Amino acid sequence: MPGEPTPHDVVVIGGGPGGYAAALYGAAAGLDVALIEKDKVGGTCLHRGCVPAKEFLETAAVWRTTAGASDFGISTGVPGMDFAVSQARKASVVDTMFKGLSGLLKGRKVTLLSGTGRLRPDRVVEVVDGEDAGTLLQGGAVILATGSVPRTLPSLEVDGRLVVTSDEFLDLSSLPSSAAVVGGGAIGCEFASMLSDLGVEVTIVEGLGTILAGCDADVTNAVARSFKKRKITMITSAKVTGHRPQDGGTSTKLEIEGQEPIEVEMVVVSVGRRPLTEGLLADETGVNIDQGGFVVADGMMRSSAEGVYAVGDVVAGTPQLAHVGFAEAIVAIKDILGEPATPVDYSRVPWAIYCHPEVAFAGLTEAQALEQGFEVMIKKDPFGGNSRARIIGETEGMVKVIAEKSADGSGGRILGVHMVGPWVTEQLGAGYLAVNWEATASEVAEFIQPHPSLSETFGETMLALAGRGLHVG
Ligand SMILES: Cc1cc2nc3c(=O)[nH]c(=O)nc-3n(C[C@H](O)[C@H](O)[C@H](O)COP(=O)(O)OP(=O)(O)OC[C@H]3O[C@@H](n4cnc5c(N)ncnc54)[C@H](O)[C@@H]3O)c2cc1C
């Protein structure tokens, strides 16, 4: 029989980026934290998301570099692929990070419990299964960080072989020769790009009118142009209605309304993620859940129940990004500590998409800025004119900056920075700072960029916005 609940300053349910960041940050502030995880700490991000996906995209980058080595006078022959080796490397990267994270939590004296956490009224949490089943905890505060799982389509039943989600896809031991990626958002485009680089014939089927619908139109067009050049077929404004397995189950025909079906060896469903809140709340916890199953939280990440917070993918109306979970966890812990905290400004968080060419942005797109009534000034500088881009042989893409027009006609406050091209996920930092610092173009233009570097394209765009560019008009 469970006894009295064990008291902790904070009880966190879910050990993904949102949950483990809350545990680590809370423990760093001296709080006594318990963290309940039903699978492995690290969550989707480490085991089924960001890290494994980017590891495979790096495999694709190594392939591209090897395939293009002769341009530099280096002979390598046609690259071959042993996907099992790539899988093993991915597993080793993930495992090293997992051990590091587990060690960090232990080092900070976070009490780690194994099992499924369920919130009862008055911040009591019960572990309902797993190794620690039956344990009761009393949180001074409770943080819900149970994350999300892949959404599926009723017409496409996931069987882990012909039809997979990102979960199964990242565990494949070999690659198909052809694949349809259903959903052309960030994850779908990353998968399509990686598969195509590794020699798979890829079709993206997207319901909306464009791939990467949330990005600035110039960025979307640049990626679409590049995909087309690499023979990735993109079918947009398309509705998938089902699939019919063929040839004893080695391939399937994907049915699309109003179109000929396409035969592929694998369908990768990438149509977003739903929150994981089933069974999380006992009756009368007072936590408000919206119609989609997300937890409703305010700027301080407080749910509608006193002392119960929510962070990460499970929170309603926020971008499902690991670093957003980190930021929210910090806000929640500061609020628990009674310290002033700044709510996360979701309209200005950094976005990074690791397809080839890469995409990174922060702030408003051109369309959003115009919709919001800003009088804008826009400058774009293509990487084609950047010497480092020429040196590395990656000249696709550009930097586009959207600024508010100031009285003298030059670019004032920077509203959005959008990048597509080589290593832009690593270059966004300066753009993110500019947008969030509410810097003006002339302020940023004062800063020197090293030469030759890819970041000169960002600097050049700012100079041009400030009134006079060196290379950009
Ligand atoms: C293929 C893919 C690629 C991605 N790439 C990126 C990227 O490049 N950059 C980026 O920022 N984001 C990326 N994401 C999104 C990112 O993974 C998520 O935003 C992030 O993992 C969310 O963190 P979280 O802590 O909210 O939830 P999760 O990471 O989902 O973690 C939730 C944890 O809670 C546990 N849990 C759930 N319910 C309970 C319960 N009742 N009791 C105990 N434990 C429970 C789960 O087992 C899980 O470990 C990607 C996602 C996918 C699928």
Side-chain angles (χ1 to χ4, degrees), residues 459-473:
E460 186 61 40
T461 319
M462 290 297 172
L463 272 175
L465 269 176
R468 278 193 299 268
L470 289 178
H471 307 91
V472 181

Side-chain angles (χ1 to χ4, degrees), residues 13-20 36-51 53-54 115-118 145-150 166-167 170 187 190-191 273 276 278-280 311-314 319-325 352-354:
I13 309 180
Y20 75 67
I36 307 168
E37 169 54 54
K38 69 183 171 77
D39 186 4
K40 280 177 157 183
V41 290
T44 303
C45 169
L46 180 54
H47 301 284
R48 297 171 296 281
C50 323
V51 177
K54 264 87 269 187
T116 303
R118 184 172 161 84
T146 49
S148 63
V149 288
S166 56
D167 283 358
L170 293 168
I187 295 174
E190 288 187 353
F191 285 171
R273 298 179 61 81
L276 196 50
E278 298 106 27
L280 174 63
V311 299
D313 281 11
V314 79
Q320 291 182 315
L321 294 168
H323 46 277
V324 167
I353 305 169
Y354 299 75

Side-chain angles (χ1 to χ4, degrees), residues 152-233:
T152 51
L153 292 173
S155 57
L156 290 179
E157 200 174 312
V158 174
D159 63 4
R161 209 171 44 85
L162 283 178
V163 182
V164 300
T165 67
S166 56
D167 283 358
E168 297 81 22
F169 179 77
L170 293 168
D171 275 338
L172 290 180
S173 51
S174 62
L175 292 175
S177 65
S178 59
V181 178
V182 178
I187 295 174
C189 283
E190 288 187 353
F191 285 171
S193 178
M194 167 240 167
L195 285 169
S196 165
D197 281 338
L198 298 178
V200 179
E201 198 181 306
V202 183
T203 305
I204 300 176
V205 185
E206 166 59 52
L208 299 173
T210 173
I211 58 164
L212 298 178
C215 298
D216 188 273
D218 279 315
V219 167
T220 304
N221 291 339
V223 175
R225 259 196 317 275
S226 171
F227 277 13
K228 208 166 157 194
K229 248 198 301 189
R230 283 152 65 200
K231 305 213 172 1
I232 298 176
T233 307

Side-chain angles (χ1 to χ4, degrees), residues 413-415 417 428-440 444 458 462:
R413 180 167 58 122
I414 295 155
L415 302 172
V417 173
L428 182 67
Y432 169 76
L433 268 185
V435 168
N436 282 273
W437 216 287
E438 301 190 342
T440 64
V444 182
F458 172 73
M462 290 297 172

